[in-house]
Amino acid sequence: MVTLLRGVLRRNRDFRWFWAGHTASVVGSQVTAVALPLLASLTLDAGAAGVAVVATASYLPNLLLPLLIGHWLERRRRRPVMIGADVVRAGTLAVVPVAYLLGFLSVPLLVVVALVVGVASVVFEIGSFAYVPSLVDDTDLAGANRATQGSTTAAQVAGPGLAGGLTQLAGPPLAVALDAVSYLASALGVAAARRVEPAPPREDAAGILDGLRVIAVNPWLRALTTHATIYNAASQIVTVNLVVLMVTDRGLGPGLFGLALSAAGAGALVGTLASTRLAERLGYGRAFAAALLLSTGTPLLITALPGSGGALAAGLAGVQFTAGIGLGVANVLSVTLRQVVIPRGNLARSGGGYRVLIYGALPLGSALGGVLGHAAGSRVGVAVGTVGFAVSAVPMLTRRIRGLRTPQQARPADAAPTVTAPADGPPTAVRR
């Protein structure tokens, strides 16, 4: 993580505070995703059905609301809304330990809490995507995304373990209470950024679906969204079948299986930290292509892995680590490309449209993975999923995209670059 402390984090005080708040937020999100189902299972003895209902409730807002939230955010300053979302998450989670102490904690209450926290998380994340380009200079955008993606990846790696540790040491209700504090820390970090955010447009005639239209008509965004949607669907096909293939069919112990999968997070962190330097050396398009070859090509080896026990786990970990490196690089380059190409007045709306498409692919992939695994076996299911990974890269491997030296070259010809003022003064934004 030392690399993250260089560049824009060192120079830009406002972004440093925002990054600290963002880091607290993503850690809180990872803890929430684990702590609420654990609470349902351990404290309320809800069983598999109750745990599944709580987990689904936290996930549903990603499918139903991003278009509406993106459209709503386009007409508002994002920073105050993000602070409000953090306060809502903190207050909602604080209800859980209070309900536990007063004796009225229940699965329906946890479902409501999960829904409200899920909605607020969607608001925060779409707002964050649209807010960062107004907080840093155009030349610092890739570095800023490397920092935020780095903390996100670290949270994804450490979050489940942190949630489990807090639950074991303090009990599920207190773990949720501590999680609420993380969102207050996030709100303080975001609030500490002093740079004046540009005012939203006074008149905005765009409709809710305009974010999808921006993606559909722009060749760069269309290729990127097609890739991400297919990739997410394929990832669910693999996820549904991989545990059966490795643990049930090939006898790999659950502990070794979990360690092998965690290698993907470690690889993603390495890729995140290396992303900007790789883009500078190879050019943006070639770096993106190289990242996709790792993230979508390496998993093809999974079904051919030999051995058993530790040898099999080591092979799976190697594949996961290598693919994770590519995924970490691609995630940083993807976010930066979208922030540069999408017109400034459509960042939140298009971010919501993008989120609807890539999250909407997840349940479809899960259902298809279940059908394939049941009909043809887990090995076939994993093989189909990994082929899906490879196919997802095809839209991003065109000569036009590979030839990009910088993400700014993908900006529409009639768009003007963004001009931002020094960190202590109000920025002037030109629509791009």
Side-chain angles (χ1 to χ4, degrees):
M1 296 297 287
V2 174
T3 307
L4 290 179
L5 300 179
R6 303 171 184 168
V8 63
L9 273 176
R10 186 183 68 249
R11 294 191 305 270
N12 190 322
R13 171 213 177 264
D14 291 317
F15 178 74
R16 191 162 58 244
W17 275 108
F18 167 79
W19 175 76
H22 171 273
T23 300
S25 174
V26 293
V27 170
S29 296
Q30 292 297 317
V31 172
T32 300
V34 177
L36 287 182
L38 280 176
L39 187 64
S41 175
L42 298 178
T43 303
L44 299 178
D45 196 22
V51 171
V53 169
V54 173
T56 301
S58 64
Y59 175 73
L60 276 179
N62 290 288
L63 297 178
L64 304 177
L65 295 178
L67 279 177
L68 293 173
I69 289 172
H71 182 68
W72 178 76
L73 273 173
E74 207 67 79
R75 305 179 184 185
R76 288 160 179 80
R77 283 188 169 93
R78 286 71 186 249
R79 188 164 68 105
V81 173
M82 292 162 62
I83 295 169
D86 273 333
V87 172
V88 167
R89 290 192 285 188
T92 303
L93 286 174
V95 169
V96 172
V98 172
Y100 172 76
L101 291 174
L102 296 179
F104 61 87
L105 186 64
S106 64
V107 170
L109 178 61
L110 288 183
V111 169
V112 173
V113 168
L115 277 171
V116 174
V117 171
V119 170
S121 295
V122 173
V123 171
F124 184 94
E125 290 164 18
I126 294 177
S128 175
F129 170 78
Y131 175 61
V132 169
S134 70
L135 187 62
V136 302
D137 296 331
D138 227 24
T139 53
D140 281 333
L141 192 56
N145 286 324
R146 181 184 66 172
T148 55
Q149 288 295 312
S151 57
T152 298
T153 302
Q156 289 170 344
V157 173
L162 179 61
L166 286 174
T167 299
Q168 183 169 347
L169 291 174
L174 187 54
V176 173
L178 294 173
D179 192 17
V181 174
S182 75
Y183 290 122
L184 291 179
S186 173
L188 291 174
V190 176
R194 295 179 302 191
R195 172 176 260 184
V196 179
E197 185 180 357
R202 294 182 179 179
E203 296 182 4
D204 183 7
I208 292 176
L209 298 180
D210 268 40
L212 293 173
R213 182 189 62 79
V214 169
I215 293 171
V217 301
N218 186 289
W220 315 97
L221 299 176
R222 188 167 61 243
L224 182 58
T225 306
T226 301
H227 154 66
T229 302
I230 297 174
Y231 182 94
N232 278 2
S235 72
Q236 292 303 105
I237 296 175
V238 172
T239 298
V240 166
N241 288 282
L242 186 60
V243 63
V244 178
L245 174 64
M246 291 295 168
V247 177
T248 303
D249 295 350
R250 301 194 60 181
L252 187 63
L256 287 176
F257 178 69
L259 285 174
L261 291 186
S262 68
L269 185 58
V270 171
T272 298
L273 299 179
S275 57
T276 53
R277 182 170 297 180
L278 188 66
E280 290 169 358
R281 290 189 176 183
L282 299 181
Y284 212 82
R286 289 181 178 178
F288 215 139
L292 291 179
L293 289 177
L294 289 180
S295 63
T296 68
T298 310
L300 290 169
L301 299 173
I302 291 177
T303 54
L305 289 174
S308 60
L312 178 59
L316 181 59
V319 169
Q320 294 290 102
F321 182 79
T322 305
I325 292 174
L327 186 60
V329 174
N331 280 343
V332 174
L333 301 186
S334 167
V335 172
T336 303
L337 183 64
R338 289 193 291 127
Q339 288 172 333
V340 168
V341 172
I342 296 172
R344 182 59 57 87
N346 251 317
L347 275 171
R349 195 178 285 117
S350 295
Y354 181 82
R355 195 179 183 94
V356 162
L357 293 173
I358 66 170
Y359 274 90
L362 296 177
L364 295 177
S366 295
L368 181 57
V371 171
L372 283 170
H374 179 74
S378 59
R379 181 179 292 273
V380 171
V382 171
V384 170
T386 56
V387 169
F389 282 150
V391 170
S392 77
V394 172
M396 293 297 296
L397 297 180
T398 64
R399 181 180 299 177
R400 183 181 191 183
I401 295 176
R402 295 199 315 273
L404 275 181
R405 291 298 304 173
T406 67
Q408 285 74 21
Q409 289 179 341
R411 183 181 281 137
D414 59 348
T418 300
V419 181
T420 51
D424 291 332
T428 301
V430 179
R431 183 181 174 90
R432 62 176 187 169

